[in-house]
Amino acid sequence: MVDDDRPPMSLHALAGILPIAIIFVIVFGGIYGGLFTPTEGAAVGAAATFVAALLKREITWAKFKHCFYATAEASAMIFLIFIGADLMNSALALTQVPAQLATVVKDFGLSPVMVVAAIMVFYVVLGSVMDELSMILLTIPIFFPMIMGLDFGMPKESVAIWFGIMVLMTVGFGLLAPPVGLNVYVVNGMAKDVPIAESYRGVMPFLVSDTIRTIVLLLFPSISLWLVKYIG
């Protein structure tokens, strides 16, 4: 016999995601409301998630220890990357490699847009073997001064913002692109019954849309800058 007093499935599902929606509102509302910075917002979001887990009684001592150790491992990895990037930055500053590289690129006679396009392709290839944070920390100290030394017909501040947007879009693209998209392999490892070819077919529409978006923003930088100018 069916119990008619049970809430509809849609309401039950909505109640399940309600804590996530509340945390989202708290974090983004606080950031855009000026209550805390994005970095502080990450801490607020983590604390709110912990409180939500306690209220829903989904956290146990074993799960807490697992989260603690996983966070410690991830933090150690990130700080090691920071240390390596800082050493590399010092070496680059002493050797003046970015300035020399910018001079070499200018001697090639390539247009500034073609230089950015080549860097974007490099990020796609690099995404096969590295994660986003590693790519950004290890390559930006080389590429950014080189880009700032080129003439795009825009103010240097606009060039910096536009290049940053292009990099952030492309590093994620490389983690999905074949033949070795790391994120695709991770997801496919969780769905062991799904062939890797099917996983790649599933991400293809997203790759196509990302490619079109990247090309448009590469050729028309003003699209990615109009909101910044409007807010400013």
Side-chain angles (χ1 to χ4, degrees):
M1 184 176 180
V2 179
D3 186 4
D4 294 332
D5 295 333
R6 292 182 301 176
M9 184 60 66
S10 58
L11 295 178
H12 181 72
L14 182 62
I17 66 171
L18 186 59
I20 301 175
I22 294 175
I23 294 172
F24 179 88
V25 171
I26 292 174
V27 173
F28 282 89
I31 292 174
Y32 286 101
L35 298 178
F36 40 74
T37 66
T39 303
E40 294 168 345
V44 171
T49 303
F50 180 69
V51 172
L54 289 177
L55 294 177
K56 296 183 67 175
R57 299 182 179 180
E58 293 181 351
I59 190 74
T60 62
W61 179 245
K63 290 181 180 179
F64 178 80
K65 289 195 298 183
H66 174 75
C67 294
F68 180 83
Y69 291 139
T71 303
E73 291 177 359
S75 299
M77 178 192 68
I78 292 172
F79 275 108
L80 284 175
I81 294 174
F82 273 119
I83 293 172
D86 190 54
L87 293 174
M88 187 175 181
N89 291 345
S90 300
L92 292 173
L94 291 173
T95 57
Q96 295 295 310
V97 169
Q100 297 175 16
L101 186 59
T103 302
V104 171
V105 170
K106 289 180 180 178
D107 293 339
F108 283 158
L110 296 175
S111 65
V113 173
M114 289 301 298
V115 174
V116 176
I119 293 174
M120 298 301 102
V121 173
F122 175 75
Y123 275 125
V124 172
V125 176
L126 204 61
S128 301
V129 294
M130 297 178 67
D131 62 278
E132 298 104 318
L133 182 62
S134 301
M135 284 190 283
I136 292 174
L137 291 178
L138 296 178
T139 60
I140 288 299
I142 299 175
F143 291 147
F144 184 74
M146 182 181 68
I147 292 299
M148 296 305 292
L150 300 176
D151 183 15
F152 290 88
M154 297 186 296
K156 294 299 182 182
E157 182 180 352
S158 298
V159 173
I161 296 173
W162 170 64
F163 181 67
I165 293 172
M166 296 298 299
V167 169
L168 290 177
M169 289 195 309
T170 312
V171 293
F173 183 91
L175 294 173
L176 296 177
V180 188
L182 292 181
N183 282 353
V184 177
Y185 274 85
V186 171
V187 174
N188 187 259
M190 298 172 63
K192 301 184 183 298
D193 297 333
V194 179
I196 188 66
E198 185 173 344
S199 296
Y200 271 116
R201 283 195 297 269
V203 301
M204 277 302 169
F206 301 98
L207 291 177
V208 172
S209 64
D210 284 344
T211 302
I212 295 174
R213 180 185 60 188
T214 303
I215 293 175
V216 170
L217 293 183
L218 176 65
L219 298 178
F220 305 100
S222 58
I223 296 177
S224 58
L225 296 174
W226 75 269
L227 184 58
V228 177
K229 295 179 180 178
Y230 177 78
I231 294 176

